[in-house]
């Protein structure tokens, strides 16, 4: 089973990397760009067929390791 | 218009961050995890309604700034 965990910054948390990308795109004259933000996706291959159990375990992984609850939101999706 | 650019490592290129995540998940006894890989997603808000033109410009952004053609693959998607 393959899952994707999307880890983004919570609303209101500064995203310096996104700001730098926006600035660099403007320097290259991509003037239509309003803003850019960076999201980290972790693709996880798991050795299980139990979808419910997998979602539960992925949520536990996020809480214990992958996401920082103070600054991050996360979204879990089974993709294959 | 909101677009997403997914930047991943080409097949065969080492992904040390993914390897570290896998190792850490195993240390936390998530034994069902086979592997993890990290993908960077850049969400770009653009001031345009021309979908075709936007896709063209996004491809140019990837080639000129966002992706390194030696080690990265990229995928562009309009999401909103």
């Amino acid at each position: 089973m393959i899952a994707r965990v999307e880890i983004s910054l919570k609303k209101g948390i500064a995203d310096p990397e996104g700001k730098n990308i926006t600035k660099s795109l403007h320097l290259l004259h991509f003037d239509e760009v309003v803003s850019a933000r960076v999201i980290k996706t972790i693709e996880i291959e798991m050795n299980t067929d139990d979808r419910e159990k997998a979602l539960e375990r992925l949520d536990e992984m996020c809480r214990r390791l992958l996401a920082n609850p103070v600054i991050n939101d996360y979204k879990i999706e089974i993709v294959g």
Side-chain angles (χ1 to χ4, degrees), chain A:
Chain A
M1 185 178 292
I2 294 174
R4 280 187 163 210
V5 178
E6 250 190 47
I7 296 164
S8 58
L9 288 165
K10 276 186 200 282
K11 230 180 134 99
I13 302 288
D15 177 7
E17 195 181 356
K19 282 222 166 51
N20 281 333
I21 290 172
T22 309
K23 205 182 285 184
S24 302
L25 288 171
H26 288 164
L27 285 173
L28 292 171
H29 305 294
F30 291 106
D31 299 320
E32 69 271 52
V33 171
V34 179
S35 66
R37 70 182 192 119
V38 175
I39 298 161
K40 189 164 147 181
T41 303
I42 303 170
E43 196 175 88
I44 298 178
E45 190 184 339
M46 294 170 84
N47 202 355
T48 173
D49 289 325
D50 185 337
R51 203 187 157 84
E52 284 311 302
K53 179 78 189 156
L55 285 171
E56 210 174 277
R57 293 283 279 173
L58 286 158
D59 194 72
E60 199 186 332
M61 289 177 210
C62 286
R63 283 183 283 114
R64 294 186 60 193
L65 178 76
L66 304 176
N68 176 340
V70 178
I71 58 168
N72 293 138
D73 283 328
Y74 61 86
K75 220 169 71 185
I76 297 166
E77 202 186 357
I78 306 284
V79 295

Short mmCIF file of all heavy atoms in Angstrom, two decimals, chain A residues 5 7 18 27 31 35-36 45 49:
data_model
loop_
_atom_site.label_atom_id
_atom_site.label_comp_id
_atom_site.label_asym_id
_atom_site.label_seq_id
_atom_site.Cartn_x
_atom_site.Cartn_y
_atom_site.Cartn_z
N VAL A 5 1.57 11.57 2.77
CA VAL A 5 1.31 12.47 3.89
C VAL A 5 1.79 13.86 3.46
O VAL A 5 2.95 14.04 3.08
CB VAL A 5 2.09 12.02 5.14
CG1 VAL A 5 1.87 12.99 6.27
CG2 VAL A 5 1.69 10.62 5.54
N ILE A 7 2.51 17.59 4.47
CA ILE A 7 2.78 18.39 5.67
C ILE A 7 2.97 19.85 5.26
O ILE A 7 3.91 20.19 4.54
CB ILE A 7 4.01 17.84 6.40
CG1 ILE A 7 3.69 16.42 6.87
CG2 ILE A 7 4.40 18.73 7.58
CD1 ILE A 7 4.87 15.62 7.26
N GLY A 18 8.95 29.72 0.87
CA GLY A 18 7.96 30.15 -0.10
C GLY A 18 8.17 31.61 -0.51
O GLY A 18 8.06 31.96 -1.69
N LEU A 27 12.16 38.09 -9.72
CA LEU A 27 13.44 38.54 -10.30
C LEU A 27 13.62 38.00 -11.72
O LEU A 27 14.26 38.63 -12.56
CB LEU A 27 14.62 38.08 -9.43
CG LEU A 27 14.82 38.85 -8.12
CD1 LEU A 27 15.90 38.20 -7.27
CD2 LEU A 27 15.20 40.31 -8.41
N ASP A 31 6.01 37.77 -13.50
CA ASP A 31 5.26 38.78 -12.74
C ASP A 31 3.85 38.32 -12.39
O ASP A 31 3.19 38.91 -11.53
CB ASP A 31 5.21 40.09 -13.52
CG ASP A 31 6.60 40.63 -13.77
OD1 ASP A 31 7.43 40.55 -12.85
OD2 ASP A 31 6.86 41.12 -14.89
N SER A 35 2.01 34.44 -5.15
CA SER A 35 2.71 33.89 -3.99
C SER A 35 3.02 32.42 -4.22
O SER A 35 2.42 31.77 -5.09
CB SER A 35 1.85 34.05 -2.74
OG SER A 35 0.71 33.24 -2.86
N ALA A 36 3.97 31.93 -3.45
CA ALA A 36 4.30 30.51 -3.51
C ALA A 36 4.43 29.99 -2.09
O ALA A 36 4.87 30.72 -1.20
CB ALA A 36 5.61 30.31 -4.27
N GLU A 45 5.65 3.67 1.60
CA GLU A 45 5.22 2.34 1.17
C GLU A 45 5.06 1.47 2.41
O GLU A 45 5.96 1.41 3.24
CB GLU A 45 6.26 1.75 0.22
CG GLU A 45 5.76 0.48 -0.46
CD GLU A 45 6.82 -0.18 -1.32
OE1 GLU A 45 7.79 0.48 -1.72
OE2 GLU A 45 6.67 -1.40 -1.57
N ASP A 49 -2.45 -4.57 3.98
CA ASP A 49 -3.60 -4.44 3.09
C ASP A 49 -4.80 -3.83 3.80
O ASP A 49 -5.83 -3.60 3.19
CB ASP A 49 -4.02 -5.82 2.55
CG ASP A 49 -3.00 -6.34 1.56
OD1 ASP A 49 -2.42 -5.51 0.83
OD2 ASP A 49 -2.77 -7.56 1.54
#
